[in-house]
Amino acid sequence: MYRYVVKRLFDIVLSGIAIIILIMPMLIIAVAIKIDDPGPVLFKQKRVGKKKNGQITYFMIWKFRSMKMSTPHDVPTHLLDNPEQYITRVGKFIRKMSLDELPQIYQVFTGVLSTVGPRPALWSQKDLIEEREKYGANDVKPGITGWAQINGRDELEIPVKAMFDGEYAAALNAGFFKGFAMDMKCFFGTFMSVLKSEGVVEGGTGELKKEEDLILK
């Protein structure tokens, strides 16, 4: 009941309130993006959605554009050569504070995303998709934030990130109280992570492991 009814009601109410409260800040961000680097305000990218009838589905995720128009498309940031060169001045700020994700509030309201869930993988991230499949994480609707996001985010290696996503999926399937408790941990934990800018690594994934390797050397 929680996963299919209560969680959806929570998404509708929360995203509806957020849209009303954040409409003006979002307009200001949109204008700043236009001034900084002329072009579309929104960046749309093909991402992996919840599995249906045993098949992987896809959707277009929305973000405030934080990178220059000259940036290669459909390439994960960590695979770009010197990704910092592609990030705009406004983009650097909104990425650090996770404000680039704000347009996804509307996608939560319409049911494409959930407030909490595994972050949707890029369609080409086959390794992450395959790892999540081992834990049943692909069967869960993706979200704006999730268990992996408050436990390391970009610093996590793909197997570890998929494991956290699997833990979230398991909790969601374990009943009302465990599902609700996990969502609350992720929801409130996100605020602390954003305020501390934890786990944000431009152009990197698995940075936590790389740092450990350097220390061992």
Side-chain angles (χ1 to χ4, degrees):
M1 178 179 176
Y2 174 75
R3 177 175 174 177
Y4 298 103
V5 179
V6 178
K7 184 174 173 65
R8 178 60 189 142
L9 287 175
F10 175 78
D11 283 343
I12 292 172
V13 172
L14 187 65
S15 60
I17 293 172
I19 289 171
I20 294 171
I21 294 175
L22 297 172
I23 186 66
M24 285 308 297
M26 290 174 71
L27 286 173
I28 292 172
I29 292 173
V31 172
I33 291 171
K34 275 284 188 182
I35 294 174
D36 193 14
D37 187 63
V41 169
L42 292 180
F43 170 70
K44 300 178 182 180
Q45 192 176 57
K46 186 178 178 181
R47 295 293 182 103
V48 176
K50 177 184 175 183
K51 280 178 65 176
K52 291 183 179 179
N53 300 318
Q55 299 295 319
I56 295 291
T57 63
Y58 303 92
F59 72 102
M60 299 301 290
I61 198 170
W62 296 354
K63 291 188 176 188
F64 277 127
R65 182 171 59 87
S66 60
M67 306 189 85
K68 299 174 182 177
M69 292 299 295
S70 58
T71 307
H73 286 221
D74 290 328
V75 178
T77 305
H78 68 276
L79 294 181
L80 291 172
D81 182 24
N82 186 19
E84 287 281 354
Q85 66 179 312
Y86 295 108
I87 302 174
T88 64
R89 289 170 297 178
V90 171
K92 187 172 184 179
F93 173 75
I94 64 176
R95 286 167 74 98
K96 182 178 180 180
M97 302 304 296
S98 295
L99 298 176
D100 57 323
E101 314 285 356
L102 287 180
Q104 292 162 37
I105 294 172
Y106 178 76
Q107 293 188 290
V108 171
F109 189 77
T110 59
V112 176
L113 287 170
S114 182
T115 304
V116 180
R119 279 299 293 163
L122 191 65
W123 66 272
S124 59
Q125 289 180 295
K126 304 297 183 183
D127 47 356
L128 178 56
I129 297 169
E130 290 174 1
E131 283 293 321
R132 283 177 169 174
E133 188 66 24
K134 298 176 183 177
Y135 300 101
N138 291 326
D139 296 313
V140 177
K141 183 186 291 187
I144 293 180
T145 187
W147 190 228
Q149 274 56 55
I150 66 171
N151 280 287
R153 198 172 173 176
D154 296 332
E155 292 180 342
L156 300 176
E157 288 189 306
I158 284 175
V160 179
K161 186 179 294 185
M163 181 189 68
F164 277 120
D165 290 332
E167 289 179 1
Y168 174 80
L172 202 61
N173 291 323
F176 186 99
F177 293 106
K178 286 189 177 180
F180 178 75
M182 175 60 87
D183 274 351
M184 290 302 99
K185 284 181 183 178
C186 294
F187 182 75
F188 290 107
T190 297
F191 287 100
M192 296 305 298
S193 294
V194 169
L195 289 175
K196 296 177 181 179
S197 297
E198 291 179 342
V200 180
V201 181
E202 296 299 352
T205 187
E207 292 298 323
L208 195 60
K209 179 61 165 59
K210 292 177 186 176
E211 289 179 7
E212 291 175 352
D213 290 343
L214 286 174
I215 291 173
L216 290 174
K217 288 179 181 180

Short mmCIF file of all heavy atoms in Angstrom, two decimals, residues 7 32 35 40-41 60 84 108-109 138 192 216:
data_model
loop_
_atom_site.label_atom_id
_atom_site.label_comp_id
_atom_site.label_asym_id
_atom_site.label_seq_id
_atom_site.Cartn_x
_atom_site.Cartn_y
_atom_site.Cartn_z
N LYS A 7 2.96 6.63 -1.06
CA LYS A 7 4.15 7.27 -1.63
C LYS A 7 3.77 8.20 -2.77
O LYS A 7 4.33 9.30 -2.90
CB LYS A 7 5.13 6.19 -2.11
CG LYS A 7 6.46 6.73 -2.65
CD LYS A 7 7.40 5.58 -2.97
CE LYS A 7 8.67 6.03 -3.65
NZ LYS A 7 9.52 6.89 -2.80
N ALA A 32 19.02 33.91 -15.32
CA ALA A 32 20.48 33.93 -15.11
C ALA A 32 21.18 33.01 -16.10
O ALA A 32 22.25 33.34 -16.63
CB ALA A 32 20.80 33.51 -13.68
N ILE A 35 21.29 34.69 -19.55
CA ILE A 35 22.26 35.79 -19.61
C ILE A 35 23.69 35.25 -19.67
O ILE A 35 24.53 35.75 -20.42
CB ILE A 35 22.09 36.72 -18.39
CG1 ILE A 35 20.73 37.43 -18.45
CG2 ILE A 35 23.22 37.74 -18.33
CD1 ILE A 35 20.41 38.25 -17.21
N PRO A 40 18.90 27.22 -24.73
CA PRO A 40 17.77 26.67 -23.96
C PRO A 40 18.04 26.72 -22.46
O PRO A 40 19.16 26.49 -22.01
CB PRO A 40 17.68 25.22 -24.45
CG PRO A 40 18.35 25.22 -25.79
CD PRO A 40 19.44 26.23 -25.69
N VAL A 41 17.01 27.01 -21.68
CA VAL A 41 17.14 27.04 -20.23
C VAL A 41 17.19 25.62 -19.67
O VAL A 41 17.93 25.34 -18.74
CB VAL A 41 15.95 27.81 -19.60
CG1 VAL A 41 15.92 27.60 -18.09
CG2 VAL A 41 16.04 29.28 -19.93
N MET A 60 12.76 11.26 -20.77
CA MET A 60 13.63 12.43 -20.87
C MET A 60 13.62 13.20 -19.56
O MET A 60 12.57 13.71 -19.14
CB MET A 60 13.18 13.34 -22.01
CG MET A 60 13.20 12.69 -23.39
SD MET A 60 14.85 12.09 -23.89
CE MET A 60 15.70 13.65 -24.14
N GLU A 84 35.33 20.72 -16.19
CA GLU A 84 35.18 22.07 -15.64
C GLU A 84 35.09 23.13 -16.73
O GLU A 84 34.43 24.15 -16.56
CB GLU A 84 36.36 22.38 -14.71
CG GLU A 84 36.32 21.66 -13.38
CD GLU A 84 35.37 22.30 -12.39
OE1 GLU A 84 34.82 23.36 -12.72
OE2 GLU A 84 35.16 21.72 -11.31
N VAL A 108 7.94 14.97 -10.96
CA VAL A 108 7.42 14.22 -9.82
C VAL A 108 5.91 14.39 -9.77
O VAL A 108 5.16 13.43 -9.55
CB VAL A 108 8.05 14.71 -8.49
CG1 VAL A 108 7.34 14.06 -7.29
CG2 VAL A 108 9.54 14.36 -8.46
N PHE A 109 5.45 15.62 -9.97
CA PHE A 109 4.00 15.91 -9.93
C PHE A 109 3.24 15.12 -10.98
O PHE A 109 2.13 14.63 -10.73
CB PHE A 109 3.78 17.41 -10.13
CG PHE A 109 2.36 17.85 -9.90
CD1 PHE A 109 1.86 17.99 -8.61
CD2 PHE A 109 1.51 18.12 -10.96
CE1 PHE A 109 0.55 18.38 -8.38
CE2 PHE A 109 0.20 18.51 -10.75
CZ PHE A 109 -0.28 18.65 -9.45
N ASN A 138 16.13 -1.70 -10.53
CA ASN A 138 15.51 -1.21 -11.77
C ASN A 138 14.00 -1.33 -11.74
O ASN A 138 13.31 -0.77 -12.61
CB ASN A 138 16.06 -1.99 -12.98
CG ASN A 138 17.52 -1.68 -13.26
OD1 ASN A 138 17.98 -0.55 -13.04
ND2 ASN A 138 18.26 -2.67 -13.72
N MET A 192 20.79 17.88 4.42
CA MET A 192 22.10 17.98 5.05
C MET A 192 23.21 17.82 4.01
O MET A 192 24.21 18.53 4.02
CB MET A 192 22.24 16.92 6.13
CG MET A 192 21.27 17.09 7.29
SD MET A 192 21.37 18.73 8.06
CE MET A 192 23.06 18.72 8.65
N LEU A 216 46.65 4.72 0.50
CA LEU A 216 47.36 3.46 0.67
C LEU A 216 48.74 3.50 0.01
O LEU A 216 49.67 2.84 0.45
CB LEU A 216 46.54 2.31 0.10
CG LEU A 216 45.27 1.95 0.87
CD1 LEU A 216 44.47 0.90 0.12
CD2 LEU A 216 45.62 1.42 2.27
#
